[in-house]
Amino acid sequence: MSQTAIPFEFERYLQSQISAGTGPDMNEMIFAYIPGLDASQPIDRNQGLPPSNQWVHRQDIDQLGKMGDNALAYSVVIPGNQPAFTFNAIFLRDKAVAGSCGFVVHKAQETKELGSALTRTLVMEYNGAAALAGVTVDAGTWQIDFSARLQGMDEDHRLACLDNYGQVGFVSGFDVVQQADPNKYNITSGITYVGGLRAVLANDVLQTISAKPNALWLDVYRDGTSLSKWENHVSIIASGSAKSDYVDSQGRFHYVAHIADIAADGSVVDRRQRGGMQEHLAADDPHSQYPLKGDVTPLRNLYFSYNYQSALILLIPYIDSGKHSESAVIGRMEFRRGTELSSDRLEVLDLCVKSSYNKTRYSMTRHYFDWGWVFCLVSYKGKAWLALKSTSNNVQQAAIKFSGLTAFGANGYDPEDQFKIITFQSLDPANYPPTNPEVASSIIDVDAHQSYMDETGSPFFSGSNPPEIADIPELNSELSERITVSTLVGVVMKFSTDVPRVGFIKGARIELLRSDYPKLWAVVEAAGNFTEQSLIDAEPDKYAAHYGTGDGVTTFTTPDYHRGHYHRGATPGLTYGESQGDAIRNITGTATGVQHKSSSTGAGAFTLTNSGTVASNLVDGTSSVWNHSFDASRVVPTADENRPKTINTYIYIYHGEEAA
């Protein structure tokens, strides 16, 4: 973050220059390093240039141009061969006038490196700047002007809001309430969008309206300078004449919204429009220009009371892979003979039937067995449908009720055909002819894809085309249990805290009852990964990774993973779970007694100790004998075991039971 300011010194300088008949001439840029500078704090305008011992670089202005009538851009380019310097402040001054200071910048610390060029442009803004300084060249001749791009971004954002909220969309507030004084009206704070600009009335506004009838209008425009934050400006206007959007003398677009009318008797007529997003969300068909993905029906009641042997019910279009469909039937279907209050046959099916761009999924859960229904494929009006087909050959006087959601979005199909009941065989065809007997030849049973209740009353699904688990939440717990029991029992896991967890036992040679941990015992027994307890007790390190037979009848013991072993994948020739003692690759070397006339020294892991003198054939007749000792701890860390850099964790075994 940086701070900028025009100091009071510039005002004195400017007046002096004007009095002398000349204009301001900021001709030098000074880079400084100010110790302890907090660039987040506002600049004290009483301050001018810092002491010269804080200047780290100074350079004449290379380019000067105007940015409109009230702003000047000063640029310097510091070449790459300039030695490195660090700065956190920049100043403009007229080097011909002692003590002059026209502009101050405080910023985060930055370093100009040797070999890299640095460009800096300071924009100084004050009324009539270009004319006073006599600058006619536009800064756009050498500077990249981002104003057009920024204005384009503002306009894109305004248009996006216009799409969402419409020309006028009041979100909250702007209630107009007459006060005790009949000429006073309070407009509450709130938010609205007008012409795509977000208008925020931060506080209530008390408006005086003496002339009636009248009206209240909201006027919003966006404005700012090249150095300031651009904001939406909001004002409340009382005008009996109709107001509309307009452009003011400075070229700013104003967008106007009608808030309320004030009648002759002082009463308030609300003219706020919700529009935009609120209107969009409330619409039954918010995008009428697009075809619906599927007509959704929450409840269907279907009836027929003829003496048919066989019938089928169309569910969803059966679309080949790669063709877009997106149709669905998800809910419960009840079949009764008679009425809902009096029926002698009943069957309930839970259905989950979907088609998407790449496949069709379907499942059925049955709650009662009487008539019987199965899935089938049938050709109707030349189109393939997934349907329910009766299996009882006796579906007369049936009342069918469906509760749930249906959606229909297949191209080329008639949505009215969904849930159509087609009869294709009758006990009395003369009196009750089938509606579409010809479909019988096109029916393809797909029993392999259906799902029924098993003998325990639990749902199951076929392996050839099971439904998606996410579509049938009831299976989540079953699937989780199946994965837990069959896959994870016996898995070894590391934890960062030594806290008992449900389903886990610490891997530290604990004796367990086989009856209390049947899942873990079954895995261990089937794998044969256990050893006689007496062998383990005699050599605990060797058999640390083995389960123990316990008492041989009712108990077993867990491996002991807390004896300091390191785990690695078994290499060829080694048995799984086999332990190895610690070892290092051998270090060899030789050292023999060496006689020296003078003292010797040892370095690194070697230590030399003098053990006396012996006669020799040297000139003086004696020499020293030195003993050579090797001690690795002189140069590397040592311990009573071999180990790499280590993190010690807590190791648990998953046993799969609900309680330890």
Side-chain angles (χ1 to χ4, degrees), residues 587-591:
I587 300 174
T588 62
T590 59

Side-chain angles (χ1 to χ4, degrees), residues 160-436:
C161 291
L162 191 66
D163 291 340
N164 282 332
Y165 294 95
Q167 181 64 24
V168 178
F170 282 86
V171 177
S172 63
F174 292 92
D175 299 279
V176 180
V177 181
Q178 189 177 30
Q179 304 300 290
D181 181 343
N183 292 330
K184 302 289 186 182
Y185 293 84
N186 185 68
I187 301 99
T188 62
S189 61
I191 300 172
T192 185
Y193 286 83
V194 185
L197 296 183
R198 186 173 186 265
V200 178
L201 194 63
N203 301 294
D204 289 5
V205 172
L206 191 63
Q207 191 86 11
T208 299
I209 302 178
S210 302
K212 301 167 187 170
N214 215 318
L216 288 173
W217 306 83
L218 180 66
D219 187 302
V220 187
Y221 69 94
R222 186 168 181 80
D223 194 27
T225 68
S226 58
L227 297 179
S228 72
K229 177 182 178 181
W230 280 63
E231 297 177 318
N232 297 333
H233 297 265
V234 178
S235 60
I236 305 293
I237 300 172
S239 174
S241 303
K243 302 281 290 181
S244 59
D245 299 345
Y246 64 97
V247 180
D248 65 19
S249 59
Q250 298 185 41
R252 300 174 302 196
F253 285 86
H254 289 244
Y255 302 94
V256 180
H258 200 173
I259 303 175
D261 284 332
I262 309 299
D265 62 1
S267 60
V268 177
V269 181
D270 190 2
R271 297 300 185 189
R272 291 172 298 174
Q273 300 178 32
R274 293 186 64 81
M277 186 63 72
Q278 293 82 3
E279 188 175 67
H280 173 84
L281 294 175
D284 294 332
D285 185 7
H287 291 289
S288 57
Q289 70 272 36
Y290 303 123
L292 291 177
K293 185 176 182 180
D295 295 326
V296 178
T297 305
L299 177 65
R300 289 210 180 188
N301 290 286
L302 312 172
Y303 300 95
F304 66 96
S305 57
Y306 303 103
N307 194 22
Y308 295 113
Q309 281 185 285
S310 301
L312 55 83
I313 303 170
L314 302 181
L315 295 177
I316 62 171
Y318 196 84
I319 306 298
D320 293 336
S321 175
K323 296 181 180 179
H324 194 66
S325 172
E326 302 221 359
S327 300
V329 174
I330 304 174
R332 173 166 292 189
M333 185 173 286
E334 297 179 0
F335 300 85
R336 300 175 184 271
R337 183 166 69 178
T339 67
E340 194 165 356
L341 298 177
S342 175
S343 58
D344 61 357
R345 289 188 177 182
L346 173 67
E347 182 167 23
V348 180
L349 303 180
D350 283 336
L351 295 174
C352 180
V353 182
K354 290 184 178 181
S355 64
S356 61
Y357 70 94
N358 62 350
K359 64 179 177 178
T360 298
R361 306 189 298 268
Y362 43 97
S363 63
M364 178 198 304
T365 303
R366 306 176 68 124
H367 294 277
Y368 301 94
F369 299 89
D370 198 336
W371 280 326
W373 295 82
V374 296
F375 287 118
C376 72
L377 296 180
V378 63
S379 177
Y380 180 69
K381 295 182 180 179
K383 304 289 185 180
W385 286 81
L386 181 70
L388 283 177
K389 186 188 73 170
S390 63
T391 60
S392 66
N393 291 325
N394 190 6
V395 292
Q396 78 278 11
Q397 299 175 353
I400 305 173
K401 177 181 178 181
F402 174 77
S403 299
L405 295 175
T406 69
F408 195 92
N411 295 328
Y413 286 76
D414 187 352
E416 296 299 321
D417 289 334
Q418 189 175 35
F419 275 102
K420 182 182 289 292
I421 297 173
I422 296 176
T423 58
F424 55 89
Q425 188 174 5
S426 173
L427 294 173
D428 186 3
N431 295 316
Y432 307 108
T435 56
N436 295 88

Side-chain angles (χ1 to χ4, degrees), residues 14 65 69 90 123 197 241 253 383 452 470 490:
L14 181 60
D69 294 333
I90 310 174
V123 178
L197 296 183
S241 303
F253 285 86
K383 304 289 185 180
Y452 296 108

Side-chain angles (χ1 to χ4, degrees), residues 519-530 547 556:
K519 296 173 184 176
L520 180 59
W521 172 245
V523 170
V524 173
E525 189 176 32
N529 183 30
F530 58 97
Y547 286 87
F556 69 105

Side-chain angles (χ1 to χ4, degrees), residues 383-506:
K383 304 289 185 180
W385 286 81
L386 181 70
L388 283 177
K389 186 188 73 170
S390 63
T391 60
S392 66
N393 291 325
N394 190 6
V395 292
Q396 78 278 11
Q397 299 175 353
I400 305 173
K401 177 181 178 181
F402 174 77
S403 299
L405 295 175
T406 69
F408 195 92
N411 295 328
Y413 286 76
D414 187 352
E416 296 299 321
D417 289 334
Q418 189 175 35
F419 275 102
K420 182 182 289 292
I421 297 173
I422 296 176
T423 58
F424 55 89
Q425 188 174 5
S426 173
L427 294 173
D428 186 3
N431 295 316
Y432 307 108
T435 56
N436 295 88
E438 68 278 3
V439 303
S441 61
S442 68
I443 296 174
I444 302 174
D445 290 336
V446 287
D447 294 354
H449 295 276
Q450 63 182 304
S451 306
Y452 296 108
M453 302 288 285
D454 62 20
E455 64 275 5
T456 67
S458 301
F460 69 91
F461 300 86
S462 69
S464 59
N465 192 10
E468 297 290 328
I469 299 303
D471 295 337
I472 306 178
E474 295 79 12
L475 285 187
N476 284 340
S477 59
E478 178 188 331
L479 178 67
S480 176
E481 176 67 13
R482 184 164 66 249
I483 293 176
T484 296
V485 172
S486 64
T487 308
L488 300 182
V489 172
V491 167
V492 177
M493 299 187 70
K494 299 175 182 178
F495 292 100
S496 60
T497 57
D498 195 16
V499 178
R501 292 165 171 80
V502 174
F504 288 86
I505 192 74
K506 192 170 184 179

